[in-house]
């Protein structure tokens, strides 16, 4: 009975971090999508000078561990703006993910047949219009499998904001284990909670992929 | 009459509910060249795979040189060492050179020393006229060359009988000649061969016997002269006309 | 500018020490990951049903949860059930088993992309199933898996950076100490970022060179 009691206490405490984990992931992914799509468009269609800037951003960020980026941005942000650890951490995670998503959307944009752009221009669309309403909708669908993979990576990487004090699943697990002196149980619950989260996410992404697959 | 080298008795093979072989019997004498013909799906390739136990028969028995190789407890790997097989798609080992392809059976299966294996492999490559391509990878060889390496690989194991599963079907027409020439040479050296092929010219010149299969059974068999001139069954005649026509078609 | 050079001079020795630890953990984890990942990958393709299920569960567990929680479990959780590991041991074990799961998956998809005819031809030569796997299928699969393996090596190099959270004195561990000693977290973490860029860059060059060395015509993954 005592074990069940402990399990319930532990679970109830940690599960409150679930919402934080999901929120951090959502903010980071949204930030990353915006950065990724914009920079991918610049990378493929932009001025050569801007293209080089994007390449540098992407190569540099992807060569640095996410935790290092989180630390740098966390200290930079908290020096100049008054942001909570949650927002600083989530935005930093998104900034890092943006580099990976740039590569994903770049690949997808380049995979859309060049004839699509030509045809769009031929019916009188401007370049931007063509990108926005013809090329991008196709590219986003093509990017979905790789993007789903990145989404689960970000979900897992969201534990890294633990290091800047955000009360997500791992932080909650650590806190409760300090109180109950049952770290195995606490981290076990955290692991299983995460496992459920990633499995559900994977299934959802698979469903999305099927739903929006393009016949080509 | 000498003892047969291969005796197939009432062999059945089915995959799930699909019956591919419905009781095939066939006897092959040493040094005999048997050409198997028949429409696709007639079970020719399956029969070859039954003979070397790549897919053992579901019913029936096969004797290879007085050994019942379908008996339980038979070491199938040992049996396959005595049976050489050449595939339609060559199946050369992609990561090995031509020489490496011929050597690997010698070193890994016959446990030969590297030097010895290399000499023997070179000899086999010379036999198929490819000594100068020994260090090429499969991707660097033409289809005909690949198939000749595959023949050398099978020969290196010193097989007692060779099975050819449509050896020229995946080749461009201008490359079939070199492969058929190697096969003809083998036959003249006295190799026992079972060949699934639609090459009428080869069958006429080289085969001792032509076996016509359809629907998982042997319909008719006989010497090539008879088969091509006066097959008894209308189905056999119709089929042989079709492939002959296709061969001469522009 | 002089400040930066001054700081650089002060922190570089410690950071180099941390770099050694980082490289050590990377090397041990990748090696352990290979030793465990190879049989797991082969077992997932060629093993009997129950073996495949167990190995599948192992891969799902390690790929489905964050490395950092795995690390905390190994270092703080396991002593609870009588398994006490040192900091470095916990790092080696967690990162090694984590990497093994990923390496096994790369190997699995490479094994599955080797055409069926290779196995059939090997068996026709008289090889046993395991002989064929070992001398025909595996050498091809390993080459096909090499590009993903290179990615994994670089990912691992970067992921070792979480071990400082259990107080292992790797590159990040040193940085953390230094940043509170000199009250210059931004500068120091930027320097650390540069360290990582150099490490990743060198690793990338070495791996690309290896990939080119072992390339065999007709045996590459993807389009070529």
């Amino acid at each position: 009975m005592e074990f069940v009691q402990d399990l319930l206490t532990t679970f109830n405490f940690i599960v409150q971090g679930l919402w934080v984990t999901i929120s951090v992931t959502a903010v980071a992914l949204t930030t990353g999508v915006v950065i990724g799509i914009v920079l991918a468009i610049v990378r493929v269609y932009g001025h050569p000078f801007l293209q080089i800037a994007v390449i540098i951003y992407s190569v540099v960020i992807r060569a640095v561990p996410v935790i290092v980026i989180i630390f740098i941005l966390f200290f930079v942000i908290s020096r100049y703006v008054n942001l909570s650890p949650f927002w600083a951490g989530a935005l930093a995670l998104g900034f890092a993910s943006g580099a990976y998503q740039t590569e994903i959307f770049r690949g997808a944009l380049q995979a859309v047949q060049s004839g699509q752009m030509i045809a769009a221009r031929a019916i009188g669309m401007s370049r931007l219009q063509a990108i926005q309403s013809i090329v991008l909708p196709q590219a986003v669908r093509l990017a979905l499998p790789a993007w789903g993979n990145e989404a689960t990576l970000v979900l897992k990487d969201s534990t890294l904001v633990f290091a800047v004090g955000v009360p997500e699943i791992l932080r909650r697990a650590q806190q409760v284990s300090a109180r109950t002196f049952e770290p195995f149980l606490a981290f076990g619950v955290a692991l299983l909670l995460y496992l459920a989260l990633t499995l559900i996410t994977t299934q959802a992404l698979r469903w999305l992929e099927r739903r929006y697959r393009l016949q080509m | 009459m000498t003892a047969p080298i291969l005796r197939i008795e009432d062999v059945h093979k089915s995959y799930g509910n699909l019956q591919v072989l419905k009781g095939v019997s066939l006897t092959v004498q040493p040094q005999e060249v048997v050409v198997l013909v028949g429409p696709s799906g007639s079970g020719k390739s399956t029969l070859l795979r039954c003979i070397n136990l790549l897919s053992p028969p579901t019913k029936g028995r096969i004797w290879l040189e007085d050994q019942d190789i379908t008996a339980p407890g038979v070491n199938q790997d040992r049996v396959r060492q005595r049976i050489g097989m050449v595939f339609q798609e060559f199946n050369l080992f992609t990561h090995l050179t031509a020489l490496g392809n011929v050597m690997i059976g010698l070193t890994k299966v016959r446990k030969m020393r590297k030097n010895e294996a290399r000499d023997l492999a070179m000899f086999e490559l010379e036999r198929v006229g490819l000594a100068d391509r020994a260090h090429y990878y499969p991707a660097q060889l033409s289809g005909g060359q690949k198939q000749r390496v595959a023949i050398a690989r099978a020969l290196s194991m010193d097989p007692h009988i060779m099975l050819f599963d449509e050896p020229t079907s995946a080749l461009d027409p201008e490359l079939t000649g070199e492969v058929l020439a190697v096969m003809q040479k083998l036959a003249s050296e006295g190799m026992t061969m079972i060949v699934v092929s639609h090459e009428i010219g080869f069958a006429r010149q080289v085969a001792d016997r032509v076996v016509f299969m359809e629907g998982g059974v042997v319909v008719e068999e006989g010497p090539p002269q008879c088969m091509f001139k006066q097959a008894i069954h209308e189905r056999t005649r119709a089929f042989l006309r079709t492939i002959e026509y296709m061969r001469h078609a522009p | 500018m002089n400040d930066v050079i001054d700081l650089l001079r002060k922190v570089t020795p410690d950071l180099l020490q941390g770099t050694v630890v980082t490289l050590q953990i990377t090397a041990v984890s990748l090696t352990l990951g290979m030793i465990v990942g190879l049989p797991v990958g082969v077992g997932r393709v060629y093993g009997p049903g129950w073996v495949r299920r167990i190995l599948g569960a192992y891969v799902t567990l390690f790929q489905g949860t964050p490395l950092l929680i795995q690390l905390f479990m190994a270092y703080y959780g396991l002593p609870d059930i009588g398994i006490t590991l040192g900091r470095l041991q916990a790092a080696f074990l967690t990162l090694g088993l984590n990497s093994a799961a990923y390496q096994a998956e790369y190997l699995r998809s490479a094994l599955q992309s080797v055409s069926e005819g290779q196995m059939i031809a090997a068996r026709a030569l008289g090889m046993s199933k395991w002989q064929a796997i070992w001398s025909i299928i595996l050498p091809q699969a390993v080459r096909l898996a090499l590009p993903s393996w290179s990615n994994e090596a670089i990912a691992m190099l970067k992921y070792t950076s979480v071990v400082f959270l259990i107080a292992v004195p790797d590159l990040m561990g040193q940085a953390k100490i230094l940043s509170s000693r000199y009250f210059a977290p931004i500068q120091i973490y930027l320097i650390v970022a540069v360290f990582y860029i150099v490490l990743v860059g060198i690793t990338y060059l070495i791996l690309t060179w290896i990939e080119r060395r072992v390339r065999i015509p007709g045996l590459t993954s993807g389009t070529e």
Side-chain angles (χ1 to χ4, degrees), chain C residues 102-121:
Chain C
Y102 283 91
Q103 293 188 39
E105 279 305 273
Y106 298 138
L107 186 63
R108 182 176 71 110
S109 60
L111 285 168
Q112 286 169 337
S113 69
V114 173
S115 80
E116 212 183 338
Q118 299 284 310
M119 176 58 103
I120 294 172

Side-chain angles (χ1 to χ4, degrees), chain A residues 62 67 71 100 156-157 198, chain C residues 63-64 102 158-159 161 189:
Chain A
R62 287 184 300 127
I67 185 97
F71 269 47
Y100 295 88
K156 286 184 280 173
D157 277 352
T198 45
Chain C
Q63 288 195 335
Y102 283 91
K158 291 189 287 171
Y159 263 114
S161 58
Y189 288 120

Side-chain angles (χ1 to χ4, degrees), chain A residues 6 9 15 34 39 43 48 54 77 80 82 88 91-92 99 107-108 117-118 133 148 153 164 173 184 189 193 198-199:
Chain A
D6 285 349
T9 317
V15 86
V34 173
L39 293 192
R43 169 77 179 77
V54 173
I77 292 173
Y80 300 108
N82 188 16
L91 289 175
M117 176 60 117
I118 296 169
S133 47
L153 284 176
V164 293
F184 184 79
V189 168
L193 214 51
T198 45
L199 290 181

